[in-house]
Amino acid sequence: MILVLEKGITEEKKNSIRSILRREGCIVREISSNEQCIIGSAGKPAHDVDFFRRLPGVVKVTPVSTSFKLVSRQMHPEDTLIQVGDVVVGAERIVVIAGPCAIESRDQAMTIAQEVRRYGAVLFRGGAFKPRTSPYSFQGLGEEALKILAEVREEVGLGVVTEMTSPAQADMMMKYVDVVQIGARNMQNYELLKCVGRMGKPVLLKRGLSATIEEWLMSAEYVLSEGNDLVCLCERGIRTFEPYTRNTLDLSAIPVIKNLTHLPIIIDPSHATGIREKVPPMARAAIAAGADGLMIEVHHDPDNALSDGPQSLYPKQFARLMRNIYVIAPVVGKQLDFDYLDKAKAVDEMPAAPGHADRRTAFLGEIGTFSHKACTQYFGTKITPVPMSSFKAIFEAVKQGEVDFGVIPLENSLAGSIHENYDLLLEYNLKIIGEIKLRIMHHLIGHPGTRMENIKRVYSHPQVFQQCQQFLNSHDNWELVSVSNTARAVKQIKEKGTPADAAIAGKEAAEIHGMEVIEEGIETNPRNYTRFAVIGNKPLKNGPKNKSSLIYSTGNRPGALYETLKVFAERGINLVKLESRPIHGKPWEYMFYVDIEADVESDSFKPILKLLQKKTDYLKVLGCY
Ligand code: PEP
Ligand code: MN
């Protein structure tokens, strides 16, 4: 049951409620919420709900209606995030676990691990104890394989995931691996579930071959009830009457799970389909449906794999799939980050800004804006976002070393460039160290339960009104109130406290301020993306760089710009953006901002850069990323 406690309740009263619940044999969890103090309890107390309702300090008691308690959303409204080294499962960046079905040798594991890491996997999988249908099939290398996994972690830098088939393997698992997988065949092996519950290591809990979602969640409940909240669910196909695929991938489990539980869910299209060519389309669909990640079997020589070769992707296929996921992710508000691990390492190795223990990134506006989202999606939980009141203040803070990075919008796919930031990039001597693209979806947000017909005023940023013109035209009786940013608009309507006031913002702002989305996706054009640049004093050492930004000016003579562009054209270098801005104090003279698909700081580019210098009056490299 859920016990809502009175506002400002004393620790003493709270403790007494907790100890009564524990005495009655309940598991007690405090549910964090900035406004309300709530206690969740699971178990079968001797007393009825009325008894708890009458306890001093208790305002309301609601029984949890589902058979699973600790895993239910009611008990824990926020998403559970599972930290595995630098990787966070369940957050805004998609987590891809890849590797062979089974570890066959050190060479095999290293080869595949290097390949999958290169293409963007952040965790490595590989079976050591294989639960095979036939006792005559390869059973796995056992502890030897676990040692190889530990070496992969050391050498390739990927956290490792493997299946545990018996409580007797607990010590070994604790010693060698980062995530313990419970296989489909063991989903209801309750001794094993209790054992991993006590181990406290992150658990990847596969759905049983014929398990209902409720049975699957009850299995997760076993792990949580032993004190381990770090459970990630994994849908891997269920057995149906359909023989064309090995199993039937239940993609509808994703939204069902998201609704019922706070635990993250990842999809394993390899075991679900059993057929290599069916894996990429199902993986793409899983991300589109809202999965937190994927588990994919990859083998460099699948024809000779000791298990599950026919469903294992070749590394090149895996690479192609990852590029497609990269494109799909922003559509559903997430990111696939090819630099995930290198970036985390580079950030850790940076000296922190003087006087600060944490790494800080400045952004415009306040918590809950799209700029804030760009910030958290780019760096994950590694940094503290620091709100600023102007773009110039961001550049200044980075320059002065008060923050480590800044996140600035550069262009919107509908509204075009944000010129102020282009001008600031010229003025300041900072580097673009990365970029991130977000899909901008606007929602009509109001007080919970607000009906459209009660709305009289709508608050947002003027540009947002423009982007939602079509929707607003059909409500021309609404008064539009301009506010400096979308998150502030939501904050203001909350303070006003009446259903007559609504706001337009992203869903994060609604969540942060406890408001409700009344109408989803009201932007006129759904292809509304904003590209943000991440700026810093020094480039990050984070993997291969394939894009560069330059600023230059040319003499005022025929063909001067053409001469510079010819340098790129003749070498097959793709130009992805060309923008011109007036030079301050020099009427009718222009700076050109150029983005190209190349690393201009690489050795092979040096002669080209020299040539470009000759053909320009001024040239500045803004960054390679
Ligand atoms: C595996 O991941 O290799 C495996 C055996 O999976 P499942 O338990 O889903 O069959
Ligand atoms: Mn397998």
Side-chain angles (χ1 to χ4, degrees):
M1 50 196 173
I2 311 285
L3 292 85
V4 180
L5 310 185
E6 63 191 19
K7 269 198 184 127
I9 185 171
T10 60
E11 271 309 305
E12 201 183 339
K13 265 194 197 166
K14 220 178 356 178
N15 281 338
S16 129
I17 297 168
R18 277 200 208 103
S19 50
I20 294 171
L21 284 163
R22 288 210 185 94
R23 232 182 294 134
E24 302 244 341
C26 291
I27 297 172
V28 181
R29 295 286 152 91
E30 192 147 333
I31 302 169
S32 59
S33 155
N34 40 9
E35 304 227 318
Q36 266 181 324
C37 182
I38 300 171
I39 283 180
S41 82
K44 271 205 174 326
H47 289 92
D48 63 0
V49 172
D50 274 338
F51 167 82
F52 293 97
R53 252 183 216 134
R54 285 195 298 268
L55 290 180
V58 175
V59 178
K60 200 169 123 193
V61 179
T62 326
V64 175
S65 49
T66 49
S67 49
F68 42 88
K69 309 289 179 195
L70 298 172
V71 306
S72 85
R73 258 274 173 225
Q74 258 179 300
M75 197 70 119
H76 188 292
E78 275 126 46
D79 290 338
T80 282
L81 305 182
I82 302 175
Q83 181 105 30
V84 186
D86 284 328
V87 174
V88 182
V89 188
E92 290 172 285
R93 287 186 293 177
I94 283 161
V95 168
V96 178
I97 308 171
C101 180
I103 300 296
E104 300 165 10
S105 69
R106 187 179 183 282
D107 272 1
Q108 175 248 20
M110 287 294 170
T111 306
I112 301 170
Q114 262 140 8
E115 293 271 19
V116 298
R117 189 194 198 285
R118 175 173 327 137
Y119 300 129
V122 291
L123 295 170
F124 182 69
R125 62 150 287 145
F129 299 95
K130 293 305 301 174
R132 304 302 297 273
T133 306
S134 160
Y136 311 117
S137 301
F138 176 60
Q139 301 286 308
L141 297 180
E143 187 167 3
E144 190 192 333
L146 297 184
K147 287 183 182 162
I148 293 172
L149 284 170
E151 276 185 71
V152 166
R153 187 205 301 113
E154 228 20 62
E155 275 189 32
V156 188
L158 293 171
V160 294
V161 185
T162 202
E163 179 168 351
M164 170 168 159
T165 53
S166 150
Q169 295 152 2
D171 289 343
M172 272 191 260
M173 294 289 163
M174 289 305 287
K175 187 163 160 198
Y176 297 116
V177 307
D178 302 294
V179 178
V180 178
Q181 178 175 322
I182 298 297
R185 290 154 194 83
N186 272 318
M187 188 204 84
Q188 285 181 317
N189 182 336
Y190 299 116
E191 288 313 311
L192 193 57
L193 294 173
K194 284 194 239 171
C195 176
V196 295
R198 288 190 295 267
M199 282 164 67
K201 248 193 208 294
V203 176
L204 186 76
L205 178 62
K206 289 220 171 179
R207 179 175 181 181
L209 278 74
S210 306
T212 63
I213 288 175
E214 178 146 340
E215 286 162 345
W216 186 18
L217 290 176
M218 289 308 287
S219 290
E221 187 82 12
Y222 263 91
V223 182
L224 268 76
S225 68
E226 291 291 332
N228 185 357
D229 293 346
L230 307 177
V231 176
C232 175
L233 300 163
C234 178
E235 157 67 36
R236 43 78 73 208
I238 47 176
R239 186 159 282 186
T240 68
F241 49 82
E242 178 50 64
Y244 269 99
T245 47
R246 182 173 172 181
N247 293 291
T248 298
L249 179 58
D250 181 11
L251 277 182
S252 57
I254 300 169
V256 173
I257 286 291
K258 284 280 164 211
N259 193 250
L260 291 176
T261 175
H262 50 89
L263 300 175
I265 176 166
I266 73 159
I267 297 295
D268 168 356
S270 306
H271 294 89
T273 62
I275 307 163
R276 184 175 307 131
E277 75 195 44
K278 312 285 185 245
V279 172
M282 296 325 284
R284 298 194 299 260
I287 295 306
D292 295 295
L294 297 167
M295 178 184 246
I296 312 270
E297 284 186 345
V298 178
H299 202 291
H300 64 300
D301 183 14
D303 288 344
N304 293 305
L306 295 182
S307 78
D308 286 348
Q311 69 193 33
S312 299
L313 296 188
Y314 287 95
K316 282 279 173 319
Q317 283 179 305
F318 176 68
R320 263 199 303 279
L321 168 63
M322 294 296 273
R323 286 171 63 84
N324 287 331
I325 300 290
Y326 173 78
V327 176
I328 295 169
V331 175
V332 288
K334 295 200 173 126
Q335 297 289 331
L336 182 104
D337 187 349
F338 289 112
D339 282 337
Y340 201 132
L341 299 171
D342 291 332
K343 202 190 277 170
K345 199 158 150 251
V347 169
D348 278 347
E349 283 169 1
M350 279 181 61
H356 298 285
D358 52 349
R359 303 291 183 285
R360 296 147 45 87
T361 301
F363 69 97
L364 183 74
E366 46 195 281
I367 305 290
T369 57
F370 289 104
S371 284
H372 174 239
K373 185 169 173 172
C375 203
T376 56
Q377 285 204 349
Y378 188 81
F379 288 107
T381 48
K382 281 265 157 188
I383 53 102
T384 310
V386 181
M388 295 274 160
S389 57
S390 71
F391 291 134
K392 192 163 173 84
I394 298 176
F395 278 80
E396 207 44 51
V398 178
K399 180 185 164 191
Q400 301 299 341
E402 285 162 34
V403 296
D404 304 281
F405 309 101
V407 168
I408 49 161
L410 277 188
E411 60 176 324
N412 175 267
S413 58
L414 302 178
S417 294
I418 290 108
H419 292 129
E420 186 184 345
N421 282 330
Y422 275 94
D423 293 346
L424 287 164
L425 282 170
L426 177 65
E427 185 185 332
Y428 282 80
N429 220 357
L430 300 175
K431 287 277 173 206
I432 297 181
I433 62 151
E435 67 172 358
I436 181 163
K437 296 174 191 120
L438 291 192
R439 179 178 174 197
I440 308 296
M441 267 183 100
H442 295 304
H443 308 299
L444 183 70
I445 292 163
H447 288 266
T450 296
R451 296 159 66 94
M452 201 78 92
E453 53 269 32
N454 298 332
I455 297 172
K456 290 199 171 68
R457 279 169 303 277
V458 179
Y459 298 66
S460 198
H461 190 277
Q463 227 172 42
V464 176
F465 291 139
Q466 264 173 27
Q467 291 176 8
C468 302
Q469 198 59 57
Q470 216 168 53
F471 176 82
L472 292 170
N473 283 348
S474 55
H475 300 279
D476 54 6
N477 56 327
W478 290 350
E479 183 195 338
L480 304 183
V481 185
S482 290
V483 181
S484 63
N485 68 61
T486 50
R488 173 152 309 174
V490 178
K491 201 164 146 193
Q492 276 192 6
I493 65 152
K494 183 178 186 176
E495 282 160 11
K496 303 249 176 224
T498 97
D501 294 303
I504 302 178
K507 77 172 181 338
E508 288 75 13
E511 279 160 16
I512 289 168
H513 297 292
M515 295 284 104
E516 198 171 272
V517 171
I518 298 166
E519 186 85 18
E520 209 173 304
I522 58 166
E523 70 280 9
T524 306
N525 190 329
R527 289 194 183 184
N528 187 12
Y529 291 85
T530 296
R531 185 166 72 91
F532 294 83
V534 183
I535 54 170
N537 278 300
K538 269 204 307 249
L540 268 187
K541 287 197 206 98
N542 59 335
K545 319 221 176 283
N546 35 38
K547 192 170 171 186
S548 301
S549 297
L550 308 170
I551 308 182
Y552 57 74
S553 64
T554 61
N556 192 1
R557 53 176 192 277
L561 174 63
Y562 166 76
E563 282 296 322
T564 64
L565 298 181
K566 208 166 106 186
V567 172
F568 306 130
E570 281 176 348
R571 287 158 186 83
I573 297 165
N574 194 29
L575 188 76
V576 284
K577 174 149 183 152
L578 175 62
E579 170 100 25
S580 68
R581 293 286 304 145
I583 301 175
H584 279 277
K586 291 189 179 174
W588 324 123
E589 289 190 34
Y590 297 90
M591 275 294 171
F592 297 105
Y593 289 72
V594 173
D595 286 351
I596 52 171
E597 283 179 345
D599 177 359
V600 306
E601 279 167 350
S602 65
D603 285 345
S604 61
F605 204 92
K606 272 195 185 128
I608 308 174
L609 201 60
K610 263 212 182 110
L611 191 59
L612 211 55
Q613 256 151 358
K614 270 196 211 141
K615 293 181 186 286
T616 51
D617 296 347
Y618 169 90
L619 174 74
K620 173 170 158 181
V621 175
L622 282 177
C624 311
Y625 43 97

